[in-house]
Amino acid sequence: MAHSIQLTINGEERRIDLDDPRVTLLDLLRERLDLTGTKKGCDRGQCGACTILVDGRRINSCLALALSHDGAAVTTIEGLAENGVLHPVQAAFIEHDGFQCGFCTPGQIMSAAGLIAENQAGSDPERVREGMSGNLCRCAAYAGITEAVLDAGNRMNVSAGEKAA
Ligand code: FES
Ligand code: FES
């Protein structure tokens, strides 16, 4: 039986027919919508490569059934930059060499964006490492990743403060 769901993906409303109710958000994005920036590493919730934001919160999309997120707003790595300008987290990853092969990077960046939005880590490297611990990097680029998240968090807090002033 076909199921139809509605998702807002990177700001665009989409009605999607699912031929299989068991399809995950990860497979929906990659295999049906050609949004291949979100990576499939373990496909079992252990590596974080598939991290996306759903209604502003980070999740492992390999563990999420698309059907159970009917009506949600989904942000993937393809939707993070605005008007051709990199998101502060993306820019900070480049500046701080927060990657080597790049396979884990979309998940790391989405997780960092979510962590900063959660406002849980502040400027404490240990808390950033803890908050990012669900995202594994086979290249062990962790030092650059932590620096990038701290830098992006600072920049975004300064910019939020300027807007509020
Ligand atoms: S692919 Fe989803 S956590 Fe590894
Ligand atoms: S940069 Fe290679 S897996 Fe993280």
Side-chain angles (χ1 to χ4, degrees), residues 79-113:
L80 215 51
E82 279 185 23
N83 302 319
V85 178
L86 290 180
H87 185 280
V89 175
Q90 292 173 305
F93 266 68
I94 293 171
E95 277 178 40
H96 293 275
D97 288 330
F99 54 89
Q100 288 182 35
C101 78
F103 184 83
C104 73
T105 311
Q108 300 278 3
I109 288 175
M110 296 312 294
S111 191

PDB file of all heavy atoms in Angstrom, residues 79-113:
ATOM      1  N   GLY A  79      21.222  22.150   2.426  1.00  0.00           N
ATOM      2  CA  GLY A  79      20.390  23.312   2.726  1.00  0.00           C
ATOM      3  C   GLY A  79      21.003  24.258   3.747  1.00  0.00           C
ATOM      4  O   GLY A  79      20.338  25.194   4.186  1.00  0.00           O
ATOM      5  N   LEU A  80      22.258  24.022   4.100  1.00  0.00           N
ATOM      6  CA  LEU A  80      22.837  24.818   5.190  1.00  0.00           C
ATOM      7  C   LEU A  80      23.321  26.192   4.716  1.00  0.00           C
ATOM      8  O   LEU A  80      23.140  27.188   5.414  1.00  0.00           O
ATOM      9  CB  LEU A  80      23.990  24.029   5.829  1.00  0.00           C
ATOM     10  CG  LEU A  80      24.189  24.193   7.319  1.00  0.00           C
ATOM     11  CD1 LEU A  80      22.907  23.971   8.099  1.00  0.00           C
ATOM     12  CD2 LEU A  80      25.275  23.252   7.805  1.00  0.00           C
ATOM     13  N   ALA A  81      23.955  26.242   3.567  1.00  0.00           N
ATOM     14  CA  ALA A  81      24.407  27.542   3.041  1.00  0.00           C
ATOM     15  C   ALA A  81      23.183  28.349   2.606  1.00  0.00           C
ATOM     16  O   ALA A  81      22.151  27.783   2.240  1.00  0.00           O
ATOM     17  CB  ALA A  81      25.343  27.318   1.856  1.00  0.00           C
ATOM     18  N   GLU A  82      23.298  29.668   2.706  1.00  0.00           N
ATOM     19  CA  GLU A  82      22.173  30.522   2.283  1.00  0.00           C
ATOM     20  C   GLU A  82      22.645  31.511   1.256  1.00  0.00           C
ATOM     21  O   GLU A  82      23.633  32.213   1.469  1.00  0.00           O
ATOM     22  CB  GLU A  82      21.608  31.284   3.494  1.00  0.00           C
ATOM     23  CG  GLU A  82      20.668  30.438   4.314  1.00  0.00           C
ATOM     24  CD  GLU A  82      20.023  31.221   5.447  1.00  0.00           C
ATOM     25  OE1 GLU A  82      19.946  32.458   5.367  1.00  0.00           O
ATOM     26  OE2 GLU A  82      19.615  30.571   6.409  1.00  0.00           O
ATOM     27  N   ASN A  83      21.933  31.569   0.141  1.00  0.00           N
ATOM     28  CA  ASN A  83      22.256  32.507  -0.938  1.00  0.00           C
ATOM     29  C   ASN A  83      23.731  32.425  -1.335  1.00  0.00           C
ATOM     30  O   ASN A  83      24.396  33.442  -1.546  1.00  0.00           O
ATOM     31  CB  ASN A  83      21.920  33.949  -0.533  1.00  0.00           C
ATOM     32  CG  ASN A  83      20.458  34.081  -0.167  1.00  0.00           C
ATOM     33  OD1 ASN A  83      19.594  33.503  -0.830  1.00  0.00           O
ATOM     34  ND2 ASN A  83      20.168  34.824   0.895  1.00  0.00           N
ATOM     35  N   GLY A  84      24.239  31.206  -1.386  1.00  0.00           N
ATOM     36  CA  GLY A  84      25.624  31.016  -1.822  1.00  0.00           C
ATOM     37  C   GLY A  84      26.663  31.343  -0.763  1.00  0.00           C
ATOM     38  O   GLY A  84      27.861  31.277  -1.041  1.00  0.00           O
ATOM     39  N   VAL A  85      26.217  31.674   0.449  1.00  0.00           N
ATOM     40  CA  VAL A  85      27.173  31.978   1.528  1.00  0.00           C
ATOM     41  C   VAL A  85      27.215  30.778   2.478  1.00  0.00           C
ATOM     42  O   VAL A  85      26.172  30.322   2.961  1.00  0.00           O
ATOM     43  CB  VAL A  85      26.736  33.236   2.311  1.00  0.00           C
ATOM     44  CG1 VAL A  85      27.712  33.515   3.455  1.00  0.00           C
ATOM     45  CG2 VAL A  85      26.650  34.427   1.363  1.00  0.00           C
ATOM     46  N   LEU A  86      28.424  30.292   2.723  1.00  0.00           N
ATOM     47  CA  LEU A  86      28.554  29.137   3.603  1.00  0.00           C
ATOM     48  C   LEU A  86      28.025  29.452   4.999  1.00  0.00           C
ATOM     49  O   LEU A  86      28.168  30.574   5.502  1.00  0.00           O
ATOM     50  CB  LEU A  86      30.032  28.725   3.721  1.00  0.00           C
ATOM     51  CG  LEU A  86      30.687  28.112   2.482  1.00  0.00           C
ATOM     52  CD1 LEU A  86      32.139  27.779   2.796  1.00  0.00           C
ATOM     53  CD2 LEU A  86      29.935  26.879   2.013  1.00  0.00           C
ATOM     54  N   HIS A  87      27.436  28.455   5.618  1.00  0.00           N
ATOM     55  CA  HIS A  87      27.037  28.543   7.024  1.00  0.00           C
ATOM     56  C   HIS A  87      28.333  28.712   7.849  1.00  0.00           C
ATOM     57  O   HIS A  87      29.382  28.171   7.468  1.00  0.00           O
ATOM     58  CB  HIS A  87      26.306  27.248   7.387  1.00  0.00           C
ATOM     59  CG  HIS A  87      25.726  27.215   8.757  1.00  0.00           C
ATOM     60  ND1 HIS A  87      26.485  26.954   9.876  1.00  0.00           N
ATOM     61  CD2 HIS A  87      24.468  27.415   9.186  1.00  0.00           C
ATOM     62  CE1 HIS A  87      25.705  26.973  10.943  1.00  0.00           C
ATOM     63  NE2 HIS A  87      24.479  27.264  10.556  1.00  0.00           N
ATOM     64  N   PRO A  88      28.281  29.433   8.974  1.00  0.00           N
ATOM     65  CA  PRO A  88      29.489  29.618   9.793  1.00  0.00           C
ATOM     66  C   PRO A  88      30.175  28.301  10.173  1.00  0.00           C
ATOM     67  O   PRO A  88      31.408  28.250  10.262  1.00  0.00           O
ATOM     68  CB  PRO A  88      28.974  30.341  11.033  1.00  0.00           C
ATOM     69  CG  PRO A  88      27.739  31.044  10.590  1.00  0.00           C
ATOM     70  CD  PRO A  88      27.137  30.194   9.507  1.00  0.00           C
ATOM     71  N   VAL A  89      29.403  27.251  10.369  1.00  0.00           N
ATOM     72  CA  VAL A  89      30.030  25.965  10.708  1.00  0.00           C
ATOM     73  C   VAL A  89      30.813  25.432   9.511  1.00  0.00           C
ATOM     74  O   VAL A  89      31.931  24.921   9.649  1.00  0.00           O
ATOM     75  CB  VAL A  89      28.983  24.929  11.174  1.00  0.00           C
ATOM     76  CG1 VAL A  89      29.643  23.570  11.396  1.00  0.00           C
ATOM     77  CG2 VAL A  89      28.301  25.392  12.461  1.00  0.00           C
ATOM     78  N   GLN A  90      30.250  25.555   8.328  1.00  0.00           N
ATOM     79  CA  GLN A  90      30.969  25.098   7.127  1.00  0.00           C
ATOM     80  C   GLN A  90      32.269  25.882   6.958  1.00  0.00           C
ATOM     81  O   GLN A  90      33.327  25.311   6.691  1.00  0.00           O
ATOM     82  CB  GLN A  90      30.085  25.277   5.888  1.00  0.00           C
ATOM     83  CG  GLN A  90      28.875  24.360   5.873  1.00  0.00           C
ATOM     84  CD  GLN A  90      27.936  24.678   4.718  1.00  0.00           C
ATOM     85  OE1 GLN A  90      27.478  25.814   4.556  1.00  0.00           O
ATOM     86  NE2 GLN A  90      27.649  23.673   3.903  1.00  0.00           N
ATOM     87  N   ALA A  91      32.171  27.200   7.100  1.00  0.00           N
ATOM     88  CA  ALA A  91      33.367  28.044   6.929  1.00  0.00           C
ATOM     89  C   ALA A  91      34.421  27.682   7.975  1.00  0.00           C
ATOM     90  O   ALA A  91      35.615  27.599   7.669  1.00  0.00           O
ATOM     91  CB  ALA A  91      32.973  29.511   7.052  1.00  0.00           C
ATOM     92  N   ALA A  92      33.986  27.421   9.205  1.00  0.00           N
ATOM     93  CA  ALA A  92      34.941  27.111  10.273  1.00  0.00           C
ATOM     94  C   ALA A  92      35.615  25.761  10.034  1.00  0.00           C
ATOM     95  O   ALA A  92      36.804  25.593  10.327  1.00  0.00           O
ATOM     96  CB  ALA A  92      34.220  27.115  11.625  1.00  0.00           C
ATOM     97  N   PHE A  93      34.896  24.796   9.497  1.00  0.00           N
ATOM     98  CA  PHE A  93      35.524  23.500   9.190  1.00  0.00           C
ATOM     99  C   PHE A  93      36.633  23.678   8.160  1.00  0.00           C
ATOM    100  O   PHE A  93      37.677  23.022   8.231  1.00  0.00           O
ATOM    101  CB  PHE A  93      34.473  22.486   8.688  1.00  0.00           C
ATOM    102  CG  PHE A  93      33.922  21.622   9.784  1.00  0.00           C
ATOM    103  CD1 PHE A  93      33.115  22.154  10.777  1.00  0.00           C
ATOM    104  CD2 PHE A  93      34.224  20.270   9.841  1.00  0.00           C
ATOM    105  CE1 PHE A  93      32.614  21.364  11.806  1.00  0.00           C
ATOM    106  CE2 PHE A  93      33.732  19.451  10.855  1.00  0.00           C
ATOM    107  CZ  PHE A  93      32.923  20.007  11.844  1.00  0.00           C
ATOM    108  N   ILE A  94      36.417  24.550   7.192  1.00  0.00           N
ATOM    109  CA  ILE A  94      37.459  24.789   6.189  1.00  0.00           C
ATOM    110  C   ILE A  94      38.655  25.486   6.844  1.00  0.00           C
ATOM    111  O   ILE A  94      39.802  25.071   6.682  1.00  0.00           O
ATOM    112  CB  ILE A  94      36.895  25.628   5.024  1.00  0.00           C
ATOM    113  CG1 ILE A  94      35.859  24.813   4.263  1.00  0.00           C
ATOM    114  CG2 ILE A  94      38.023  26.084   4.095  1.00  0.00           C
ATOM    115  CD1 ILE A  94      35.080  25.601   3.236  1.00  0.00           C
ATOM    116  N   GLU A  95      38.382  26.511   7.620  1.00  0.00           N
ATOM    117  CA  GLU A  95      39.470  27.284   8.231  1.00  0.00           C
ATOM    118  C   GLU A  95      40.305  26.460   9.191  1.00  0.00           C
ATOM    119  O   GLU A  95      41.506  26.663   9.316  1.00  0.00           O
ATOM    120  CB  GLU A  95      38.904  28.486   8.987  1.00  0.00           C
ATOM    121  CG  GLU A  95      38.622  29.661   8.081  1.00  0.00           C
ATOM    122  CD  GLU A  95      38.027  30.825   8.845  1.00  0.00           C
ATOM    123  OE1 GLU A  95      38.466  31.088   9.977  1.00  0.00           O
ATOM    124  OE2 GLU A  95      37.098  31.440   8.298  1.00  0.00           O
ATOM    125  N   HIS A  96      39.664  25.535   9.893  1.00  0.00           N
ATOM    126  CA  HIS A  96      40.377  24.780  10.932  1.00  0.00           C
ATOM    127  C   HIS A  96      40.755  23.369  10.485  1.00  0.00           C
ATOM    128  O   HIS A  96      41.125  22.542  11.328  1.00  0.00           O
ATOM    129  CB  HIS A  96      39.527  24.720  12.207  1.00  0.00           C
ATOM    130  CG  HIS A  96      39.366  26.055  12.857  1.00  0.00           C
ATOM    131  ND1 HIS A  96      40.285  26.583  13.744  1.00  0.00           N
ATOM    132  CD2 HIS A  96      38.407  27.001  12.712  1.00  0.00           C
ATOM    133  CE1 HIS A  96      39.895  27.787  14.135  1.00  0.00           C
ATOM    134  NE2 HIS A  96      38.748  28.066  13.526  1.00  0.00           N
ATOM    135  N   ASP A  97      40.667  23.094   9.185  1.00  0.00           N
ATOM    136  CA  ASP A  97      41.013  21.753   8.686  1.00  0.00           C
ATOM    137  C   ASP A  97      40.263  20.674   9.468  1.00  0.00           C
ATOM    138  O   ASP A  97      40.868  19.723   9.975  1.00  0.00           O
ATOM    139  CB  ASP A  97      42.521  21.483   8.789  1.00  0.00           C
ATOM    140  CG  ASP A  97      43.301  22.282   7.775  1.00  0.00           C
ATOM    141  OD1 ASP A  97      42.742  22.566   6.702  1.00  0.00           O
ATOM    142  OD2 ASP A  97      44.453  22.624   8.059  1.00  0.00           O
ATOM    143  N   GLY A  98      38.956  20.842   9.542  1.00  0.00           N
ATOM    144  CA  GLY A  98      38.154  19.895  10.316  1.00  0.00           C
ATOM    145  C   GLY A  98      37.804  18.635   9.541  1.00  0.00           C
ATOM    146  O   GLY A  98      36.785  18.001   9.834  1.00  0.00           O
ATOM    147  N   PHE A  99      38.609  18.276   8.585  1.00  0.00           N
ATOM    148  CA  PHE A  99      38.339  17.048   7.808  1.00  0.00           C
ATOM    149  C   PHE A  99      39.586  16.624   7.055  1.00  0.00           C
ATOM    150  O   PHE A  99      40.507  17.423   6.866  1.00  0.00           O
ATOM    151  CB  PHE A  99      37.203  17.258   6.809  1.00  0.00           C
ATOM    152  CG  PHE A  99      37.418  18.424   5.891  1.00  0.00           C
ATOM    153  CD1 PHE A  99      38.089  18.266   4.697  1.00  0.00           C
ATOM    154  CD2 PHE A  99      36.960  19.688   6.238  1.00  0.00           C
ATOM    155  CE1 PHE A  99      38.309  19.342   3.857  1.00  0.00           C
ATOM    156  CE2 PHE A  99      37.170  20.769   5.410  1.00  0.00           C
ATOM    157  CZ  PHE A  99      37.845  20.602   4.213  1.00  0.00           C
ATOM    158  N   GLN A 100      39.584  15.349   6.654  1.00  0.00           N
ATOM    159  CA  GLN A 100      40.630  14.861   5.745  1.00  0.00           C
ATOM    160  C   GLN A 100      39.959  14.267   4.510  1.00  0.00           C
ATOM    161  O   GLN A 100      39.844  14.925   3.498  1.00  0.00           O
ATOM    162  CB  GLN A 100      41.534  13.865   6.462  1.00  0.00           C
ATOM    163  CG  GLN A 100      42.428  14.568   7.482  1.00  0.00           C
ATOM    164  CD  GLN A 100      43.382  13.625   8.176  1.00  0.00           C
ATOM    165  OE1 GLN A 100      43.877  12.673   7.591  1.00  0.00           O
ATOM    166  NE2 GLN A 100      43.643  13.882   9.447  1.00  0.00           N
ATOM    167  N   CYS A 101      39.428  13.026   4.624  1.00  0.00           N
ATOM    168  CA  CYS A 101      38.781  12.448   3.430  1.00  0.00           C
ATOM    169  C   CYS A 101      37.417  13.088   3.173  1.00  0.00           C
ATOM    170  O   CYS A 101      36.929  13.087   2.055  1.00  0.00           O
ATOM    171  CB  CYS A 101      38.645  10.934   3.565  1.00  0.00           C
ATOM    172  SG  CYS A 101      37.276  10.409   4.629  1.00  0.00           S
ATOM    173  N   GLY A 102      36.784  13.598   4.209  1.00  0.00           N
ATOM    174  CA  GLY A 102      35.513  14.305   4.045  1.00  0.00           C
ATOM    175  C   GLY A 102      34.269  13.439   4.168  1.00  0.00           C
ATOM    176  O   GLY A 102      33.157  13.973   4.144  1.00  0.00           O
ATOM    177  N   PHE A 103      34.432  12.128   4.325  1.00  0.00           N
ATOM    178  CA  PHE A 103      33.233  11.282   4.341  1.00  0.00           C
ATOM    179  C   PHE A 103      32.320  11.591   5.525  1.00  0.00           C
ATOM    180  O   PHE A 103      31.094  11.659   5.383  1.00  0.00           O
ATOM    181  CB  PHE A 103      33.619   9.793   4.366  1.00  0.00           C
ATOM    182  CG  PHE A 103      32.424   8.902   4.280  1.00  0.00           C
ATOM    183  CD1 PHE A 103      31.851   8.601   3.053  1.00  0.00           C
ATOM    184  CD2 PHE A 103      31.822   8.388   5.427  1.00  0.00           C
ATOM    185  CE1 PHE A 103      30.710   7.810   2.973  1.00  0.00           C
ATOM    186  CE2 PHE A 103      30.686   7.592   5.350  1.00  0.00           C
ATOM    187  CZ  PHE A 103      30.138   7.302   4.121  1.00  0.00           C
ATOM    188  N   CYS A 104      32.910  11.818   6.669  1.00  0.00           N
ATOM    189  CA  CYS A 104      32.083  12.069   7.859  1.00  0.00           C
ATOM    190  C   CYS A 104      31.629  13.520   7.957  1.00  0.00           C
ATOM    191  O   CYS A 104      30.830  13.870   8.827  1.00  0.00           O
ATOM    192  CB  CYS A 104      32.873  11.713   9.123  1.00  0.00           C
ATOM    193  SG  CYS A 104      34.187  12.919   9.493  1.00  0.00           S
ATOM    194  N   THR A 105      32.190  14.372   7.084  1.00  0.00           N
ATOM    195  CA  THR A 105      32.056  15.825   7.273  1.00  0.00           C
ATOM    196  C   THR A 105      30.618  16.346   7.222  1.00  0.00           C
ATOM    197  O   THR A 105      30.238  17.172   8.067  1.00  0.00           O
ATOM    198  CB  THR A 105      32.957  16.567   6.267  1.00  0.00           C
ATOM    199  OG1 THR A 105      34.263  15.991   6.325  1.00  0.00           O
ATOM    200  CG2 THR A 105      33.046  18.043   6.597  1.00  0.00           C
ATOM    201  N   PRO A 106      29.792  15.921   6.284  1.00  0.00           N
ATOM    202  CA  PRO A 106      28.410  16.428   6.319  1.00  0.00           C
ATOM    203  C   PRO A 106      27.721  16.134   7.647  1.00  0.00           C
ATOM    204  O   PRO A 106      27.042  17.000   8.217  1.00  0.00           O
ATOM    205  CB  PRO A 106      27.731  15.693   5.155  1.00  0.00           C
ATOM    206  CG  PRO A 106      28.851  15.378   4.213  1.00  0.00           C
ATOM    207  CD  PRO A 106      30.023  15.067   5.105  1.00  0.00           C
ATOM    208  N   GLY A 107      27.923  14.921   8.154  1.00  0.00           N
ATOM    209  CA  GLY A 107      27.318  14.565   9.442  1.00  0.00           C
ATOM    210  C   GLY A 107      27.913  15.381  10.578  1.00  0.00           C
ATOM    211  O   GLY A 107      27.208  15.824  11.481  1.00  0.00           O
ATOM    212  N   GLN A 108      29.234  15.584  10.529  1.00  0.00           N
ATOM    213  CA  GLN A 108      29.883  16.384  11.582  1.00  0.00           C
ATOM    214  C   GLN A 108      29.320  17.806  11.567  1.00  0.00           C
ATOM    215  O   GLN A 108      29.030  18.390  12.621  1.00  0.00           O
ATOM    216  CB  GLN A 108      31.405  16.462  11.330  1.00  0.00           C
ATOM    217  CG  GLN A 108      32.134  15.130  11.301  1.00  0.00           C
ATOM    218  CD  GLN A 108      32.473  14.587  12.682  1.00  0.00           C
ATOM    219  OE1 GLN A 108      32.113  15.182  13.703  1.00  0.00           O
ATOM    220  NE2 GLN A 108      33.132  13.448  12.721  1.00  0.00           N
ATOM    221  N   ILE A 109      29.192  18.369  10.373  1.00  0.00           N
ATOM    222  CA  ILE A 109      28.742  19.758  10.263  1.00  0.00           C
ATOM    223  C   ILE A 109      27.285  19.891  10.710  1.00  0.00           C
ATOM    224  O   ILE A 109      26.931  20.826  11.447  1.00  0.00           O
ATOM    225  CB  ILE A 109      28.948  20.268   8.820  1.00  0.00           C
ATOM    226  CG1 ILE A 109      30.449  20.460   8.573  1.00  0.00           C
ATOM    227  CG2 ILE A 109      28.177  21.556   8.563  1.00  0.00           C
ATOM    228  CD1 ILE A 109      30.811  20.850   7.155  1.00  0.00           C
ATOM    229  N   MET A 110      26.445  18.952  10.316  1.00  0.00           N
ATOM    230  CA  MET A 110      25.044  19.031  10.736  1.00  0.00           C
ATOM    231  C   MET A 110      24.935  18.855  12.256  1.00  0.00           C
ATOM    232  O   MET A 110      24.142  19.514  12.925  1.00  0.00           O
ATOM    233  CB  MET A 110      24.198  17.971  10.018  1.00  0.00           C
ATOM    234  CG  MET A 110      24.108  18.140   8.515  1.00  0.00           C
ATOM    235  SD  MET A 110      23.711  19.812   7.975  1.00  0.00           S
ATOM    236  CE  MET A 110      22.058  19.998   8.617  1.00  0.00           C
ATOM    237  N   SER A 111      25.763  17.961  12.780  1.00  0.00           N
ATOM    238  CA  SER A 111      25.732  17.739  14.223  1.00  0.00           C
ATOM    239  C   SER A 111      26.208  18.994  14.954  1.00  0.00           C
ATOM    240  O   SER A 111      25.634  19.398  15.980  1.00  0.00           O
ATOM    241  CB  SER A 111      26.618  16.532  14.564  1.00  0.00           C
ATOM    242  OG  SER A 111      26.422  16.149  15.884  1.00  0.00           O
ATOM    243  N   ALA A 112      27.256  19.624  14.423  1.00  0.00           N
ATOM    244  CA  ALA A 112      27.776  20.846  15.045  1.00  0.00           C
ATOM    245  C   ALA A 112      26.732  21.961  14.991  1.00  0.00           C
ATOM    246  O   ALA A 112      26.537  22.685  15.978  1.00  0.00           O
ATOM    247  CB  ALA A 112      29.052  21.287  14.336  1.00  0.00           C
ATOM    248  N   ALA A 113      26.060  22.089  13.868  1.00  0.00           N
ATOM    249  CA  ALA A 113      25.024  23.127  13.751  1.00  0.00           C
ATOM    250  C   ALA A 113      23.930  22.879  14.788  1.00  0.00           C
ATOM    251  O   ALA A 113      23.435  23.810  15.431  1.00  0.00           O
ATOM    252  CB  ALA A 113      24.446  23.144  12.338  1.00  0.00           C
TER     253      ALA A 113
END
